[in-house]
Amino acid sequence: MSAFFRQAAVLACWACLLFVIEASCVRGMEAEGAPTIKPLSCVHAADGRVTVRGAAMGTVFTVRTYPGQGMGAAETERACMEALACAVHWEKVMSAMDAESRLSRLNAAESGVFVPVSPELEKVLSLALEYARLTNGAFDPTLGPCIRLWKKSRRSGVLPSREELEHACRASGWKKLTVGKGGVVKTVPGMRVDLGGMGKGFAVDRMAELLRGKGIVSFFIDSTSDVLAGAPPPGEQGWRLRVDEGHGKGAALLLSHAAVSTSGNARQMVKISGVEYSHVLDPTMGLGVTEGRQVSVQAPSAALADALATAGCVMREEDFRTLAARLPGVSIPAFFRDSPCSAKEKRDQNGGPEPIP
């Protein structure tokens, strides 16, 4: 079988997996009661478009929709609110920061033992390991110990000691995590799973599936660094999107039935001992990547785009472009190295994809 068809088969398996995940999401929300969320804003436009914004997962989600067949404004708004509630629901599953989340309970469990987990958590962890295999570990969902150590260094401005780094790296590594048969085994002490490299994209995908289930096909979901478009707005060829190409330039995209994710240090970086480090970690070192990059990836799903954008900040550019070229529906709208500028200028830049009104 050719490499292309092998990759196509893998993506088809992921599509089937995501369908099952969505079904479990709906059942989970029904069983636990849909979480409530107070919108930051709700706007009804003259052309029927409804735009709702709400906070979740440490960012702001914006849901833009046009009514489905036979739907009114109130029903469309309610569907948008349920989509935001879906993001909150998945935050309670995937957050490494919330001590009550299902992921945090797994992280608190002992290593070397089989830990039963919910079907939702099992499936998202299985998908994360698939992305880790795909990128040969450039995307790694087990970097929790390194992430915790690196956050401490970013706050203090002092690099970790060699002993601290070695300890964190020994507790990390996607091949040391086993998922399946209703549970998880962390094979090394101190392992902490962190889904920050794909969690928001995954939630965006689930929000989109919920909207489709409500009969809404024309939508655009934006979580700052991750966006997903459904069918184009009425009378349009696609949703218009601007992607930062660096050096003050931007590429305009027409997006439909696809996602775009951006990762890099354009907005999150720190200088320690004269060296600039990204918030994206190099799994082989346990430290932030020192080559300033910003990568935007277009893919069939937001979770895949999110994970690939993270991996693109770590991999050799040639290897990353070769990988992207093998994956059906995947492209790289932007890949650039940051030009020298002050830390404040970098924080002020908006490196993520921006919807064009």
Side-chain angles (χ1 to χ4, degrees), residues 68-336:
Q69 186 70 29
M71 293 181 66
E75 190 177 0
T76 305
E77 179 182 327
R78 185 162 55 250
C80 291
M81 291 297 298
E82 290 181 17
L84 291 177
C86 182
V88 175
H89 169 80
W90 278 99
E91 182 176 18
K92 294 181 181 298
V93 175
M94 299 186 293
S95 174
M97 305 296 294
D98 181 355
E100 298 301 318
S101 76
R102 298 178 196 177
L103 181 63
S104 290
R105 294 172 198 168
L106 170 64
N107 284 337
E110 294 182 13
S111 63
V113 299
F114 182 85
V115 182
V117 296
S118 69
E120 290 175 323
L121 185 56
E122 179 183 358
K123 290 180 175 66
V124 69
L125 290 176
S126 296
L127 189 65
L129 289 182
E130 286 296 329
Y131 292 158
R133 292 186 187 96
L134 180 70
T135 62
N136 197 28
F139 166 81
D140 190 337
T142 69
L143 291 180
C146 296
I147 291 172
R148 175 178 281 186
L149 188 62
W150 185 235
K151 285 182 177 179
K152 178 181 175 182
S153 291
R154 291 176 65 189
R155 289 192 299 267
S156 67
V158 178
L159 290 176
S161 67
R162 177 179 298 180
E163 292 76 14
E164 288 176 317
L165 276 174
E166 290 177 349
H167 180 77
C169 288
R170 283 196 301 269
S172 304
W174 65 275
K175 293 182 180 179
K176 304 171 188 176
L177 182 70
T178 302
V179 180
K181 299 182 180 179
V184 176
V185 178
K186 300 179 296 179
T187 63
V188 290
M191 174 176 281
R192 290 179 55 85
V193 179
D194 192 301
L195 296 169
M198 63 166 274
K200 284 192 296 180
F202 184 90
V204 167
D205 287 331
R206 307 286 66 75
M207 295 166 72
E209 291 296 331
L210 186 145
L211 291 175
R212 293 188 188 103
K214 298 290 182 181
I216 294 176
V217 296
S218 181
F219 58 80
F220 188 93
I221 304 172
D222 173 9
S223 71
T224 307
S225 59
D226 307 283
V227 303
L228 176 63
E236 300 287 343
Q237 293 183 329
W239 295 85
R240 291 179 293 171
L241 181 73
R242 181 186 183 277
V243 176
D244 186 10
E245 294 182 300
H247 313 293
K249 299 179 181 179
L253 305 180
L254 275 177
L255 202 65
S256 65
H257 304 294
V260 172
S261 181
T262 296
S263 187
N265 69 349
R267 296 203 308 157
Q268 298 190 54
M269 52 76 62
V270 64
K271 182 178 287 188
I272 301 178
S273 301
V275 179
E276 290 187 349
Y277 295 91
S278 169
H279 73 290
V280 178
L281 295 190
D282 180 345
T284 64
M285 300 293 293
L287 296 174
V289 175
T290 55
E291 181 186 58
R293 289 184 182 180
Q294 185 159 296
V295 182
S296 293
V297 175
Q298 180 172 327
S301 75
L304 178 59
D306 201 357
L308 287 177
T310 300
C313 293
V314 177
M315 298 174 66
R316 291 177 61 245
E317 181 177 352
E318 180 181 355
D319 294 340
F320 181 64
R321 290 189 180 277
T322 298
L323 171 63
R326 292 202 312 262
L327 299 175
V330 173
S331 61
I332 306 173
F335 188 115
F336 68 89

